[in-house]
Structure formats: C-alpha cells, structure tokens
Amino acid sequence: MRHNKKFNHLSRKASHRSAMLANMTISLIMHKRITTTLAKAKALRVYAEPIINRAKTDDTNSRRVVFSYLQNKEAVTELFKEISQKIADRPGGYLRIVKLGIRKSDASEMAFIEFVDYDENMAKTQKKAAKTRRSRKSSEKVAEEAPVAEAPAEEAKAE
C-alpha cells in the first residue's frame, strides 16, 4: 500500500534531502533562477513556496520560522526585504518551472526554476504575442478612409 508516500524522496535520506532543498532554496532566493533536474525542481517548489508565502508577513515569528528552515541570514534578509515586496499581491504560484531538455551525460530531464515576478524575458515575449493581426479587408478600409479624413483638416489649416 502507498499510504503517506506523497512526495519524491529523490534517492536520499531525510536529513540529506532537507539539507539539499534548503541549500537550493537559498540559491534560488539569492540568484532568482537556478538550473537543476526536473524532479529536484518539482520537489523544490513544494518545499520553497510555503517558505516564500511566510515572508508576506514581516514579523519576528515569521523570520524565525523561515530562518529555522534556511539557516542563512543573507537569504532571509533578501526574502523579507525584496522578494516579499514583489509577491505581496500574488495569492500563490511564486515559482515557475521551465523544461530545458535532456542532459547528455545521464539523460535526465533538466529544467530551470525561477521566480515568476523576476523574469523580464517572459514578460516581453508575452507582450509580443498579444498583438493581433488585421485582415486585408480591414486594412484596405482604413487606408481608403484615411485620406478623406485628412483633406478637411488640411483645408482648415490653410484658412
């Protein structure tokens, strides 16, 4: 039976797994994006999002709870000062996982995990994709109507 076997153990003992996920969370907070295997990225998202959510309320208890997981003063300061400001209005889903392909050496699936609010490249591509194309008929109509509209304006300027 598979009772209480919900998360990926990543072929590590509990202490090694918790230390690895804490170190990866610190790296993610400091660098805003890290590249890792897909399985580790998915496990990291489950581990890090509650910690990031805790940073929304900046009080002593929240800082102590987050520090108990991360054990890094610089990462905790960065999380509570900069990252919490950007995620303040977001109700969840602070991290994005993007698949990169397969690693040559061992054929494991690679991915990068990043903060959603910190990636300017993704925001730029979404704005470009939002453009709509006009059909030929609508552009011809606009072209025909434009000179007619400009002629009275030019006459008014001449007077």
Side-chain angles (χ1 to χ4, degrees):
M1 287 190 229
R2 284 195 78 254
H3 296 307
N4 203 17
K5 297 186 184 297
K6 201 170 196 175
F7 63 95
N8 191 348
H9 295 279
L10 301 172
S11 299
R12 287 163 172 83
K13 300 287 183 185
S15 59
H16 184 191
R17 187 172 52 252
S18 65
M20 182 192 66
L21 290 173
N23 286 332
M24 289 175 70
T25 306
I26 292 166
S27 297
L28 180 66
I29 290 169
M30 299 306 281
H31 300 290
K32 311 299 185 270
R33 174 192 283 184
I34 57 172
T35 303
T36 183
T37 62
L38 184 63
K40 286 181 188 174
K42 288 179 177 179
L44 179 63
R45 182 172 54 187
V46 172
Y47 182 85
E49 286 208 350
I51 294 172
I52 296 165
N53 195 25
R54 181 67 88 154
K56 283 185 175 183
T57 57
D58 190 6
D59 57 352
T60 307
N61 185 48
S62 296
R63 283 182 178 265
R64 285 179 178 169
V65 169
V66 170
F67 186 77
S68 72
Y69 284 101
L70 299 183
Q71 297 291 317
N72 188 320
K73 288 181 185 179
E74 291 82 19
V76 172
T77 304
E78 176 86 12
L79 180 63
F80 277 91
K81 283 191 177 176
E82 291 185 24
I83 296 173
S84 65
Q85 301 300 321
K86 284 211 172 194
I87 64 163
D89 57 339
R90 184 176 287 276
Y94 312 112
L95 302 175
R96 174 190 298 130
I97 296 174
V98 178
K99 294 181 183 180
L100 295 176
I102 295 175
R103 185 164 54 192
K104 275 189 172 182
S105 62
D106 60 353
S108 61
E109 289 185 77
M110 297 300 290
F112 67 78
I113 183 167
E114 65 182 356
F115 282 98
V116 173
D117 296 322
Y118 275 90
D119 187 26
E120 291 80 23
N121 296 332
M122 286 286 202
K124 289 178 186 173
T125 57
Q126 289 174 353
K127 288 179 185 175
K128 289 180 183 177
K131 273 190 180 176
T132 58
R133 287 186 49 142
R134 294 183 182 174
S135 65
R136 291 183 184 175
K137 290 180 181 179
S138 64
S139 62
E140 290 172 5
K141 288 180 184 177
V142 171
E144 290 173 8
E145 293 174 5
V148 176
E150 290 175 8
E154 289 175 9
E155 292 175 28
K157 289 180 184 177
E159 294 177 296

